[in-house]
Amino acid sequence: MSAETTQLRESPSIHRLVLRLQEILCSCSKSIEGGDGSSVSELVDFLETVSGSALENPEDEVAQNNALEILSEIQTFLLSATLDQEVIDALSFELPKVASKFAGLSSRCLEIADGIIDHFIAKCSPRDMLSILCGALSATDRPIYSSGYVASILRGLSKVFISLQRRHFEQMKVAIPIILNVLKAACSELGDEDTEDLNLFHRAIGIADSIRAVCAKFEGRINEKFHALLGLYVLQVMALVSFSAGHKVSNCLPLVSQLSNFLPYCDLSYLGLITGSDVDAATNIIIEEVEDDFMSCLSYVKHGASLSVIWGYIYDDVAQAAGGDMSFVRGELQSNQTNRWQAVGMLKHILASTDVLWELKKHAINFLLCITNGNGTRNDGLTDCSIFLPSLCAASQAITKVIIYAPNTELRKNAYEALKRVLADTPTSERFDILTALLTTSDSSSMIAILLDLVRGELHMESLQRVSIKKDEAQQTKNQGSSMTSIWTTEVLKLVDIVLRPPEGGPPSFPEHGDAVLAALNLYRFILITESAGKTNFTEVLSKKNLQKAYNEWLLPLRTVVTGIMTENKNDYDQLAIDTVCALNPVELVLYRCIELVEEKLKHSS
């Protein structure tokens, strides 16, 4: 630390500070006019010492007052009518950044910092100021908790955008990634109750206003590019606003409404947003014009697109601002299976994100229940689902996370119902691909049990339908000629195999996999009994090969493990042993029943 820095921090005299600043400014002006700008660094060091002291000591009134007074003195100096343009140009490279470091101290400091940047924008080349402000925004020495710093520069950039005279799109496509990346970083520093986020996002919305103002100057292809750029920017900011909502969704409602106003201007409809088609269209326009890494700054645009619709689903005022008709959107999604699959894929961005509030996830689940409500949501087996399989699988995985981690019973229950409907809306072959993926990737025994019980429920439902159909031979003939596929296939046994013979080898371990094992045994027993009673073998569960496999690879190894654990804990009366025995009792009962059934079938198999 320099001697001057130490002196500033030990001496609170504002008079001495002002005098010292005036000396530095006088010396700086003379050296610049003389062709030597080296003294600017002395001015920067002085100002950063003052702002740094105030930032490090927010409760120190003297330090805060000193900072305000020094910043005011800088503004007074710059506004002097006698100040040479050469001096202004030289100072423009450093003072916008330095002044912005004061902006987070108070609303008054922010106001003065804004005024200083405005003065440079009015006096200097817009193109130079764009470069200077972008450099200041992306600087690595931003203050800790830099929302005020960022807010000040964002306002400056919004003014610079409008002042640009040519090559608007080329210059904006350089600035936008910097703005969004820094905005994302600044948002991550905000606390749950931080009121500075409102000002920060208002400044971010100011950037959108400026892009729209520039867009209005052009027609044709360049106008289309600006519309696409603005739309993607707004969706990214929409996501960041939603992530920064604190503990209350209503906190960011005014910001969401303002952002929603841009959607119709950018030709972004609720149906196009929730299906992703409008996002893809805007992205395709931009990709043709930008560098390969540009899209990394727009990593949340699909989050923003789906969140935009959910906000409209929650609040009529937001939907009105966006020019959206939620009744129309719901109707289209309920009646069009392809659109519905696309919407499910988009909703995964909300449900899978750890940044989205549970309140918003709750509404996303409710929306999902809404669009899958009705007879039209059962898959007809006629539409090719293969291209949607990855997104449907990811969405299903996201829903299982809600089922596991949701903070209340109602949300977990609704998420489970949503999962059932999504699976029911998927063709049989793809449904089993999804279930297999969920079972193999889940590390929750309880979740695996839920999935297997869901499969058992669907098998039972189809069995009842088959019995009913047999009473009507005409209907039976009709269904035999239908393209609908039965879920009673050999694929079901593969689901049992995933649990009872884990990929890592050996029987499943206890007690951590107890729920999954019990569900797998119950599913196997149900299939075995149902196929035997109906004298069918759709799943080939009754074939000698599969009976022997179940007996030798599933049931006997499992019996060895369960018997060993039960014997080990039988005469132990501590709480852990008692809990272990209680947990294994139902597993043991179902296991032995399965063994009995298989042994009986093997006796009569050819």
Side-chain angles (χ1 to χ4, degrees):
M1 184 180 298
S2 68
E4 181 175 65
T5 300
T6 303
Q7 181 185 27
L8 282 174
R9 293 187 176 178
E10 291 178 352
S11 174
S13 172
I14 186 60
H15 180 65
R16 291 180 58 190
L17 286 176
V18 171
L19 287 177
R20 179 59 185 142
L21 175 60
Q22 290 173 346
E23 291 175 1
I24 295 174
L25 289 172
C26 181
S27 173
C28 188
S29 298
K30 290 180 179 178
S31 64
I32 292 172
E33 291 169 357
D36 179 12
S38 60
S39 60
V40 175
S41 61
E42 183 182 6
L43 174 62
V44 170
D45 290 342
F46 177 89
L47 295 175
E48 290 192 340
T49 297
V50 175
S51 63
S53 177
L55 288 168
E56 292 172 9
N57 302 282
E59 305 301 324
D60 186 339
E61 291 186 10
V62 173
Q64 302 301 312
N65 290 334
N66 287 349
L68 177 59
E69 189 68 27
I70 290 299
L71 191 62
S72 298
E73 190 69 23
I74 287 291
Q75 185 180 38
T76 301
F77 170 78
L78 291 173
L79 293 176
S80 171
T82 60
L83 191 61
D84 192 84
Q85 182 63 38
E86 186 181 7
V87 175
I88 295 176
D89 288 339
L91 294 178
S92 69
F93 288 95
E94 299 290 349
L95 286 194
K97 174 184 174 182
V98 177
S100 295
K101 291 186 177 182
F102 288 79
L105 296 174
S106 67
S107 58
R108 179 58 182 149
C109 284
L110 176 61
E111 181 183 342
I112 297 173
D114 287 345
I116 290 173
I117 294 176
D118 286 350
H119 185 69
F120 282 118
I121 293 172
K123 294 290 186 178
C124 303
S125 161
R127 187 169 184 176
D128 288 344
M129 288 307 302
L130 180 67
S131 176
I132 290 166
L133 292 176
C134 284
L137 193 61
S138 59
T140 57
D141 61 340
R142 294 193 306 271
I144 299 175
Y145 307 116
S146 59
S147 60
Y149 174 88
V150 174
S152 183
I153 298 176
L154 287 181
R155 181 180 178 276
L157 284 169
S158 67
K159 289 180 172 292
V160 169
F161 281 175
I162 297 175
S163 301
L164 291 171
Q165 299 299 314
R166 60 189 185 91
R167 301 181 63 84
H168 298 77
F169 185 83
E170 287 76 6
Q171 295 184 72
M172 285 188 186
K173 74 179 183 181
V174 174
I176 292 299
I178 297 172
I179 292 170
L180 289 176
N181 287 332
V182 174
L183 184 62
K184 177 182 176 182
C187 289
S188 67
E189 299 172 351
L190 297 171
D192 290 336
E193 303 299 329
D194 200 328
T195 57
E196 290 184 354
D197 56 349
L198 294 176
N199 190 44
L200 184 63
F201 286 122
H202 279 304
R203 300 297 179 92
I205 293 173
I207 294 288
D209 283 325
S210 295
I211 298 174
R212 179 162 58 182
V214 172
C215 184
K217 299 178 181 180
F218 298 94
E219 297 178 352
R221 177 62 178 171
I222 185 66
N223 181 274
E224 184 181 44
K225 290 192 293 184
F226 272 117
H227 272 82
L229 180 63
L230 176 58
L232 295 176
Y233 174 85
V234 166
L235 294 179
Q236 179 77 5
V237 176
M238 178 73 79
L240 295 176
V241 168
S242 302
F243 296 164
S244 304
H247 295 298
K248 293 182 180 179
V249 167
S250 58
N251 284 355
C252 51
L253 184 56
L255 295 168
V256 168
S257 295
Q258 290 182 60
L259 289 166
S260 296
N261 273 310
F262 290 95
L263 300 180
Y265 180 81
C266 298
D267 299 321
L268 299 174
S269 69
Y270 271 174
L271 184 61
L273 289 171
I274 199 60
T275 60
S277 59
D278 283 358
V279 180
D280 291 339
T283 301
N284 289 336
I285 293 172
I286 290 299
I287 284 177
E288 297 176 0
E289 304 291 339
V290 297
E291 290 70 27
D292 292 340
D293 61 344
F294 180 89
M295 293 305 296
S296 63
C297 75
L298 297 167
S299 56
Y300 292 140
V301 290
K302 291 190 175 181
H303 296 72
S306 49
L307 282 164
S308 296
V309 178
I310 295 304
W311 281 110
Y313 174 69
I314 302 171
Y315 297 105
D316 291 339
D317 289 347
V318 174
Q320 186 176 357
D325 183 346
M326 290 307 304
S327 296
F328 169 77
V329 173
R330 286 193 295 266
E332 285 293 309
L333 296 178
Q334 288 171 350
S335 62
N336 187 307
Q337 190 174 55
T338 299
N339 283 346
R340 194 164 57 248
W341 283 337
Q342 291 173 323
V344 171
M346 287 294 290
L347 288 171
K348 74 175 181 287
H349 297 289
I350 297 177
L351 300 176
S353 174
T354 57
D355 296 311
V356 175
L357 291 177
W358 281 112
E359 181 71 12
L360 288 172
K361 291 186 179 184
K362 180 190 77 173
H363 289 292
I365 289 291
N366 289 342
F367 182 76
L368 186 52
L369 291 174
C370 175
I371 65 174
T372 54
N373 181 31
N375 295 330
T377 62
R378 295 295 295 188
N379 177 256
D380 55 17
L382 300 177
T383 308
D384 182 13
C385 180
S386 57
I387 61 174
F388 302 107
L389 183 59
S391 64
L392 288 173
C393 185
S396 299
Q397 287 178 320
I399 296 172
T400 64
K401 297 300 182 183
V402 177
I403 296 172
I404 296 171
Y405 298 112
N408 61 74
T409 303
E410 180 184 6
L411 180 51
R412 290 193 292 271
K413 179 181 177 181
N414 288 342
Y416 175 64
E417 177 62 26
L419 178 63
K420 289 196 296 183
R421 294 188 188 183
V422 169
L423 291 172
D425 199 28
T426 309
T428 302
S429 58
E430 282 85 358
R431 189 183 316 160
F432 276 102
D433 288 339
I434 293 173
L435 284 167
T436 301
L438 295 178
L439 288 166
T440 54
T441 58
S442 177
D443 56 3
S444 168
S445 176
S446 297
M447 189 66 245
I448 293 173
I450 289 172
L451 293 168
L452 292 176
D453 286 342
L454 190 155
V455 173
R456 183 157 57 96
E458 290 207 13
L459 289 170
H460 178 63
M461 183 184 301
E462 187 177 320
S463 295
L464 295 177
Q465 292 173 344
R466 189 182 298 120
V467 171
S468 176
I469 289 173
K470 284 182 179 180
K471 297 178 181 179
D472 186 341
E473 291 299 325
Q475 183 66 31
Q476 181 185 27
T477 303
K478 179 181 176 181
N479 276 273
Q480 285 175 345
S482 170
S483 61
M484 292 186 67
T485 308
S486 170
I487 62 174
W488 282 85
T489 68
T490 56
E491 297 297 315
V492 181
L493 294 182
K494 293 181 181 180
L495 302 181
V496 177
D497 189 63
I498 290 172
V499 177
L500 298 186
R501 193 175 65 166
E504 60 270 18
S509 56
F510 289 95
E512 58 267 30
H513 293 129
D515 290 344
V517 170
L518 180 59
L521 290 172
N522 275 323
L523 176 58
Y524 179 69
R525 181 179 62 169
F526 172 79
I527 295 170
L528 199 57
I529 292 173
T530 304
E531 295 268 45
S532 298
K535 296 182 180 181
T536 58
N537 196 24
F538 300 122
T539 63
E540 298 184 13
V541 69
L542 297 176
S543 70
K544 185 174 182 179
K545 177 183 176 182
N546 282 333
L547 287 170
Q548 288 177 334
K549 175 182 178 179
Y551 192 70
N552 296 321
E553 297 182 13
W554 298 349
L555 304 178
L556 291 186
L558 192 57
R559 182 177 68 178
T560 301
V561 174
V562 171
T563 301
I565 295 175
M566 295 294 279
T567 301
E568 182 181 343
N569 292 277
K570 185 175 182 180
N571 298 318
D572 195 339
Y573 298 102
D574 70 20
Q575 190 60 49
L576 179 60
I578 294 172
D579 292 344
T580 301
V581 171
C582 290
L584 282 181
N585 275 333
V587 174
E588 187 180 38
L589 290 172
V590 180
L591 172 61
Y592 279 102
R593 178 58 179 148
C594 288
I595 291 174
E596 291 172 2
L597 289 170
V598 172
E599 287 177 341
E600 181 182 346
K601 297 300 176 185
L602 283 172
K603 288 179 183 178
H604 299 92
S605 64
S606 56

